Amino acid sequence: MENYEQFLEKVEDALTLADKKKDLNIFLSLEEEKIRSSAKKIADEMKTGNAGILAGKTVAIKDAIITKGTITTSGSQILKDFVPPYDATVVERLISNGALLFGKTNMDEFAMGSSNENSSFGPVKNPVNPEYVPGGSSGGSASAVAAGIVDMALGSDTGGSIRLPAAFCGVVGMKPTYGRVSRYGLIAFASSLDQIGPIAGNVSDAALLLKAIAGHDESDSTSSTAEVPDYPNLLESDVKGLKIGLPKEYYGEGCDKEILDRVNDLIESLRSKGAELIEVSLPHTEYSIATYYIIATAEASSNLERYDGMRYGFRGEGSELSEVYSSSRSKGFGEEVKRRIMLGTYVLSAGYYDAYYKKAQQARRLIRDDFLTAFKEVDLILAPTSPTTAFKFGDKMDDPLAMYLVDVYTTSLNLAGLPGISVPVGNSSEGLPIGVQLIGKPFEETELLQAAARVEELVSS
Ligand code: GLN
């Protein structure tokens, strides 16, 4: 059978599987007819040999990324009817590279959360075991890949939202360096931390997807002009002589023993292949959660100001403008989003700005400096992605601080602007996936993907 025929069959199978797994609540929209007609168009291009590098691949898109003509909600009731008039740059790039866009995925409202329980459309269930959360906020994207419905998915990561669900669902997820991928058309949560990245079933697909979406974009002045390497064709490397840093702050109390055991097994295999494992210190790690939740909420309170009931989506009742604003925002936003707006407004307010926001900016600098100092000694850093495996629904919902602590190993990369990738390293005794995180120097995605490919080989051997 020809390639394109196989592709059309694969698309039909994926639609059937998505329907069969409806209860997992992965997709917020799945336009079957549009998917079929795009698939035919791509198949025609495959026939004539004009297809792009992603031809034959199905890609799900987190609903925080806008898609022309397809409802985009960012997981919020306030945007439940919002139909964007244009495509995000990453979406344009997927289409021009021949990808088949396969549905918009469920997520925590405005990407605020670690479990998907903050979605205003009900949470996604973890395909590995539906009694457990898939992680957040890109839980729908990670689950779409883990359930075998799509080859790849786009997520966004502000404090761990690609890496955490990838770890919880047993797939690969990468947050690129800040500026590597255009944010134009990503519904903003915290603009100095947000970054779009790939989620995939293996490192090679993640590299392919990154290649397609990375690179400068005139519409995003923070996107880098650095050339985009040919990631998928640069995956060969040797572990021998590779200097891998193990930050002692990431291996202490607070991390599940089973996770540490798996990561330590991997460390031993890397050592036996000739890698040099070196203990490093990132002394300001203990400030990362507090720093992140001040900066992220401050930026969110400003970014979310635009949802006033006038310009987009849901409009509340009221006889005066201020009443409409207030009822639109009170009813349109969920609890966690309101909590973050309150926190963010507080830390930016006159009288508290110096004590919180300014201090957080100073701590952010120290956190970045820690990494840059460590990178003078090592090529990359290896640590668990998360201190726990997936937890059960409801376990942490009454305690926002416990939920925030799930991000303890992921937020500092966003604060420092560094790339990180989570790769599966096996399962817990309960059968829940465990992820290991590799952290790289700015714009060294190639080296990071190479190391991730070696980890993948070692784990499957
Ligand atoms: N869990 C973190 C938060 O709730 C990170 C979310 C993200 O990366 N979008 O803010």
Side-chain angles (χ1 to χ4, degrees), residues 83-119:
V83 181
Y86 64 97
D87 276 326
T89 298
V90 289
V91 170
E92 275 178 359
R93 290 185 181 175
L94 289 183
I95 296 171
S96 67
N97 280 295
L100 177 66
L101 306 188
F102 196 100
K104 302 297 295 287
T105 58
N106 199 352
M107 56 181 282
D108 286 295
E109 184 174 7
F110 286 106
M112 297 173 185
S114 306
S115 68
N116 241 267
E117 292 167 287
N118 295 333
S119 166

Side-chain angles (χ1 to χ4, degrees), residues 365-386:
R365 177 57 182 265
L366 295 172
I367 290 166
R368 179 172 164 88
D369 288 350
D370 281 355
F371 279 104
L372 298 182
T373 306
F375 281 133
K376 287 190 183 136
E377 239 190 299
V378 296
D379 303 312
L380 53 93
I381 289 172
L382 184 149
T385 306
S386 153

Side-chain angles (χ1 to χ4, degrees), residues 97-407:
N97 280 295
L100 177 66
L101 306 188
F102 196 100
K104 302 297 295 287
T105 58
N106 199 352
M107 56 181 282
D108 286 295
E109 184 174 7
F110 286 106
M112 297 173 185
S114 306
S115 68
N116 241 267
E117 292 167 287
N118 295 333
S119 166
S120 75
F121 301 97
V124 176
K125 294 176 182 156
N126 192 320
V128 177
N129 182 336
E131 284 177 22
Y132 290 81
V133 303
S137 64
S138 314
S141 285
S143 297
V145 175
I149 299 169
V150 293
D151 299 310
M152 310 164 163
L154 288 184
S156 66
D157 191 313
T158 305
S161 275
I162 289 176
R163 291 160 287 153
L164 186 73
F168 280 13
C169 294
V171 296
V172 174
M174 182 182 211
K175 180 200 99 68
T177 308
Y178 185 78
R180 183 65 296 186
V181 178
S182 166
R183 290 180 294 109
Y184 185 65
L186 170 66
I187 294 178
F189 163 10
S191 309
S192 78
L193 303 163
D194 297 342
Q195 191 63 196
I196 296 172
I199 297 178
N202 54 61
V203 174
S204 146
D205 271 356
L208 189 64
L209 184 52
L210 180 64
K211 182 185 172 186
I213 60 172
H216 183 62
D217 174 16
E218 273 183 3
S219 305
D220 173 5
S221 60
T222 65
S223 71
S224 166
T225 52
E227 207 181 307
V228 180
D230 186 8
Y231 304 117
N233 290 310
L234 292 169
L235 292 178
E236 290 303 315
S237 71
D238 200 343
V239 170
K240 200 160 184 249
L242 193 66
K243 293 196 176 107
I244 303 175
L246 307 174
K248 61 173 191 234
E249 293 78 6
Y250 286 56
Y251 287 83
E253 275 171 39
C255 186
D256 283 1
K257 185 172 175 308
E258 278 196 298
I259 294 183
L260 288 177
D261 287 348
R262 281 288 82 71
V263 175
N264 283 325
D265 291 346
L266 171 69
I267 290 172
E268 278 323 307
S269 323
L270 286 163
R271 205 192 305 272
S272 73
K273 296 276 174 207
E276 217 182 306
L277 282 304
I278 301 166
E279 186 179 277
V280 293
S281 176
L282 302 169
H284 297 93
T285 299
E286 61 176 303
Y287 303 110
S288 62
I289 289 284
T291 305
Y292 168 80
Y293 277 96
I294 289 171
I295 293 174
T297 56
E299 293 184 16
S301 70
S302 152
N303 274 327
L304 269 57
E305 210 172 60
R306 70 191 74 166
Y307 306 106
D308 54 8
M310 293 291 147
R311 281 172 285 186
Y312 314 87
F314 174 77
R315 178 172 299 170
E317 313 264 291
S319 50
E320 296 174 29
L321 188 61
S322 62
E323 270 177 39
V324 178
Y325 283 169
S326 147
S327 72
S328 303
R329 289 170 69 84
S330 310
K331 289 190 192 132
F333 288 138
E335 284 308 302
E336 183 62 26
V337 173
K338 284 189 243 182
R339 180 181 296 126
R340 306 255 181 139
I341 293 172
M342 299 281 284
L343 257 171
T345 310
Y346 182 80
V347 300
L348 287 176
S349 57
Y352 293 103
Y353 181 91
D354 281 0
Y356 294 107
Y357 189 71
K358 197 171 151 207
K359 263 262 158 347
Q361 292 291 14
Q362 289 164 338
R364 179 178 193 170
R365 177 57 182 265
L366 295 172
I367 290 166
R368 179 172 164 88
D369 288 350
D370 281 355
F371 279 104
L372 298 182
T373 306
F375 281 133
K376 287 190 183 136
E377 239 190 299
V378 296
D379 303 312
L380 53 93
I381 289 172
L382 184 149
T385 306
S386 153
T388 70
T389 50
F391 40 89
K392 288 203 167 145
F393 290 97
D395 268 9
K396 295 186 198 279
M397 278 307 265
D398 297 335
D399 185 353
L401 269 184
M403 189 69 91
Y404 295 172
L405 281 171
V406 177
D407 303 320

